[in-house]
Amino acid sequence: MQFQQLQYFVAVAETRHFTRAAEVVHVAQPSLSQQIRSLERELGADLFLRARGNITLTDAGEALLPLARRILADADTARQEVHELAQLKSGRVRLGATPSLCTGLLPDVLRTFHDRYPGIRLMIEEGGSHDLVRELARGALDLALVVLPLPAPAPALTTVELLREDLVVVSSPDAPRPGRGRSVRISDLEGERLVMFRHGYDLRELTVAACRAEGFEPDFAVEGGEMDAVLGFVRAGLGVAVVPHMVATRVGADLRVTPLARPGLHRTIALAHRSDVAPPRAARELQRMLLER
């Protein structure tokens, strides 16, 4: 049974005339008649009673008609839904990002994307780069914003560098200013109580490695938090923290922001997706907006 045969059958059933039905479906009348006869042979039953000037449905035709209409309607619905998805009117994007990027980079970009494509659902998953790479590999995410270098080789992923971001030191305005002037050296953090992120957090590994490169172990006042918790503990005066510049610019006047002295600390943010599967149309559009930001 072919889709086209059902179209021809419904046209004849509705017009009760082979010639008019052929005009409706834009096909020659002999071709339409041939396809109807082929459908009847396949089903093993006549669908029409053919009398001169009088075409009526048989019992088999009456039984097939509502089913054929439903199949054709479902096909139209499928075509429309695929068209809307292609035109970015519906669908979803599954985006992974580190919590600091959810706080600093994404709000403005996602607002622009949502304003342009309000029918696209945005599904955000926060996590460290290691977790996000794993979720990408198993197909649970379309795109992910990760910190380079990746925690482990990932040959199945394609990464495109997005930005290189400075890290800064944040502290409570009521606490003494860290360092000796307008900037802080990594060595100045020796003796400072640090508010530290949980294990697996990219910023934790970067900060601890920088301190050890200067010959000391960092002293943690509090550890184990996510970005919002770390900023809250710093506001409370429990210690200082090293955070991305984009995050620091959003926290307002209730935190003191001090840059790190040259060469400072930086991190490289990349946009990653699976190499073997092209991201969906909506995800590719979000990818374009992120790269052009």
Side-chain angles (χ1 to χ4, degrees), residues 52 56 94 130 153 166 185:
R52 185 176 299 274
T56 59
R94 301 170 300 171
H130 180 81
D166 293 334
R185 296 175 300 180

Side-chain angles (χ1 to χ4, degrees), residues 50-98:
R50 298 164 174 84
R52 185 176 299 274
N54 186 22
I55 303 296
T56 59
L57 287 167
T58 65
D59 289 343
E62 292 283 3
L64 178 61
L65 183 58
L67 298 175
R69 283 172 169 161
R70 188 186 312 159
I71 291 170
L72 296 177
D74 287 345
D76 286 338
T77 300
R79 189 181 299 111
Q80 181 63 27
E81 288 184 357
V82 170
H83 175 73
E84 287 182 353
L85 183 60
Q87 298 301 313
L88 295 169
K89 295 179 181 178
S90 64
R92 69 178 183 183
V93 177
R94 301 170 300 171
L95 174 66
T98 63

Side-chain angles (χ1 to χ4, degrees), residues 14-286:
E14 291 178 346
T15 62
R16 302 302 172 102
H17 198 283
F18 277 74
T19 301
R20 285 198 293 272
E23 293 172 354
V24 169
V25 296
H26 308 291
V27 68
Q29 189 269 328
S31 296
L32 180 141
S33 296
Q34 182 181 0
Q35 290 296 323
I36 294 294
R37 285 194 296 269
S38 177
L39 178 61
E40 289 175 323
R41 285 194 300 269
E42 182 175 353
L43 294 175
D46 290 337
L47 299 174
F48 297 102
L49 293 173
R50 298 164 174 84
R52 185 176 299 274
N54 186 22
I55 303 296
T56 59
L57 287 167
T58 65
D59 289 343
E62 292 283 3
L64 178 61
L65 183 58
L67 298 175
R69 283 172 169 161
R70 188 186 312 159
I71 291 170
L72 296 177
D74 287 345
D76 286 338
T77 300
R79 189 181 299 111
Q80 181 63 27
E81 288 184 357
V82 170
H83 175 73
E84 287 182 353
L85 183 60
Q87 298 301 313
L88 295 169
K89 295 179 181 178
S90 64
R92 69 178 183 183
V93 177
R94 301 170 300 171
L95 174 66
T98 63
S100 59
L101 291 172
C102 287
T103 302
L105 172 65
L106 285 182
D108 291 340
V109 175
L110 295 186
R111 180 186 60 201
T112 301
F113 182 87
H114 178 70
D115 289 346
R116 191 171 300 175
Y117 308 112
I120 302 295
R121 278 191 304 140
L122 293 166
M123 303 175 68
I124 308 300
E125 179 168 333
E126 292 186 81
S129 293
H130 180 81
D131 295 334
L132 297 177
V133 165
R134 184 178 64 250
E135 293 300 288
L136 272 176
R138 74 180 187 89
L141 295 174
D142 302 312
L143 303 169
L145 290 164
V146 297
V147 178
L148 296 181
L150 294 176
L157 296 184
T158 296
T159 59
V160 180
E161 186 172 322
L162 192 62
L163 60 95
R164 189 168 183 262
E165 183 181 18
D166 293 334
L167 302 184
V168 297
V169 176
V170 291
S171 57
S172 170
D174 299 328
R177 178 182 292 274
R180 299 181 177 86
R182 291 186 172 272
S183 62
V184 180
R185 296 175 300 180
I186 295 297
S187 58
D188 294 331
L189 297 180
E190 185 174 12
E192 291 281 355
R193 306 295 306 283
L194 296 184
V195 178
M196 185 50 65
F197 300 96
R198 62 171 172 81
H199 285 282
Y201 221 87
D202 303 288
L203 290 169
R204 179 190 180 103
E205 276 70 41
L206 188 59
T207 303
V208 170
C211 292
R212 288 174 177 168
E214 291 293 325
F216 69 95
E217 285 291 323
D219 180 17
F220 299 154
V222 184
E223 62 175 315
E226 300 281 352
M227 180 59 70
D228 288 343
V230 166
L231 294 175
F233 295 148
V234 172
R235 288 188 187 95
L238 294 174
V240 304
V242 178
V243 303
H245 181 262
M246 279 189 296
V247 172
T249 59
R250 287 181 172 271
V251 297
D254 56 345
L255 284 178
R256 179 195 294 123
V257 179
T258 308
L260 284 162
R262 293 177 180 271
L265 284 179
H266 317 275
R267 65 174 186 169
T268 301
I269 307 301
L271 192 58
H273 63 83
R274 287 177 58 176
S275 304
D276 58 339
V277 179
R281 177 69 180 85
R284 295 200 304 273
E285 179 62 14
L286 178 58

